[in-house]
Structure formats: C-alpha cells, structure tokens
Amino acid sequence: MKREVNGVTVECLRGDITAQADVDAVVNAANAELRTGGGVAGAIHRAAGPGLEEEARPLAPISPGEAVITGAHGLSNRHVIHALGPVYGRDHPEGELLADCYRNSLALADENGLDSVAFPAISTGVFGYPVEEAADVAIRTVIEESENLQSVRLVRFVLFGESDLGAHERILRGSA
Ligand code: AR6
C-alpha cells in the first residue's frame, strides 16, 4: 500500500531489500563495524560484493542511531546507507535511537540529492525489537520528516514477511 504525505510517497511492500533496483538508495541494517553480517547486512554485502565492505570499513565504528553513506558497488542502486539500529533492551532510549536511524538516513539521502530510498525493518531481526513497536517508530518518523525533505520523493519499507508487512500497513493506514 501507498500514501502520499507532504508530497512524499510512503509505501510498504513485501520483498527483498537487495531487489529494489528502481530506488536510488537502500538502507542496510548494519553492525557497528560495517562488516558483512547476517540478515539484511549479509544479503546486501553478498549482492554488492567485497568493494562495499572495503569502502565502508574506514567509516566504522558507528553508534546506535547513526548512519553513513557509500556507493552501491554490485547492487543496482546508486548508494547504500548503513544505519545501526539499537539492540532492544540494551541500547537506551531505544525508540529515540531507532527514530534517529530513520532521520539520519533520510537526511543523508536528501543531502545527496536522492529521489528514493528503501528501508528494511531496522532492529527487528537479530536486534530483537518487536515489529509492531518498531513499525510505529519507523512510520511516525518518516511521516514527521517528510515535510523537511527537499529531494526525497519516495520512501519504501521493504518487509520480508507477511506479518511484518501487515504491521507496517496497519500503522501507515492509521497515521494522520
Ligand atoms: N530484505 C528485507 N528484509 C530482510 C532481509 C532482506 N533480504 N533479510 C532479513 N530481513 P536484521 P537488525 C528482515 O537481523 O535486527 C546483522 O547480522 C528481517 O526479517 O538484518 O537491525 C548485522 O550484521 C528483520 O525483520 O537487522 C547486525 O549485527 C529485518 O529485516 C544485526 O544483524 C532486520 O533484521 C542487525 O540486526
């Protein structure tokens, strides 16, 4: 489903973050060291090839809530934005740190003149953030930031599972 907010299309779909060839940047649910990991990070690094880690490593370490931008190497996008989500129950305040991931990633996309950016559900895998809570933070933050964006016109949430998609759609539908 899609909604337009302040001239920005916000959409949720089920899919693989490495198969979003029509967006300028994909966001990586990164680790602090910006190394290949599991989940989203593993999939992005595998698809991008070793050049991604070579470019990203000198930018590490990053802290929870922080984001950095690199080229996309073997991926069919222009950039990868690497954001470190909070570990649920460990990094506090987790809602604020998760919102920072979305804010900082959108700011980087906008500063780089990008039109479109795709996010996975940051922190909801290995980092243990309950998906309904994370979806609420993610969608609320994107909607809040939409009025500040100059260049970004499409924000896509790419959800791996049907129930994750459902959680995001419910919140997007219900948001003002
Ligand atoms: N496309 C879209 N979503 C995916 C994909 C994919 N290819 N693969 C997994 N997901 P996670 P985190 C979903 O664990 O919680 C890594 O090892 C997944 O089902 O990738 O922020 C890093 O190296 C879940 O809903 O990210 C870090 O150490 C969501 O994406 C750590 O895990 C995020 O899952 C980051 O943990």
Side-chain angles (χ1 to χ4, degrees), residues 6 9 16 36 40 51 61 71 74 87 111 131 134 138 149-150 154 156 174:
N6 296 316
T9 301
D16 183 329
T36 307
V40 167
V87 174
E111 282 160 22
V131 70
L149 297 172
Q150 302 295 317
L154 172 70
R156 176 180 295 162

Side-chain angles (χ1 to χ4, degrees), residues 48-139:
L52 182 63
E53 191 173 287
E54 279 163 32
E55 185 186 352
R57 288 280 294 135
L59 307 174
I62 61 170
S63 320
E66 224 185 308
V68 294
I69 189 165
T70 65
H73 299 266
L75 281 163
S76 308
N77 309 100
R78 287 169 61 194
H79 293 281
V80 175
I81 296 171
H82 308 256
L84 177 62
V87 174
Y88 195 76
R90 187 191 79 186
D91 298 322
H92 303 290
E94 50 225 352
E96 208 40 48
L97 294 170
L98 187 60
D100 285 345
C101 288
Y102 288 93
R103 269 188 220 113
N104 290 329
S105 297
L106 288 172
L108 280 175
D110 217 49
E111 282 160 22
N112 282 272
L114 307 187
D115 175 73
S116 48
V117 52
F119 285 95
I122 297 170
S123 284
T124 67
V126 171
F127 285 175
Y129 214 118
V131 70
E132 290 79 10
E133 278 181 48
D136 184 56
V137 171
I139 289 182

Side-chain angles (χ1 to χ4, degrees), residues 28 61 68 164:
N28 182 16
V68 294
D164 293 351

Side-chain angles (χ1 to χ4, degrees), residues 32-49:
E33 298 304 323
L34 301 175
R35 291 183 191 278
T36 307
V40 167
I44 285 182
H45 278 274
R46 262 195 310 280

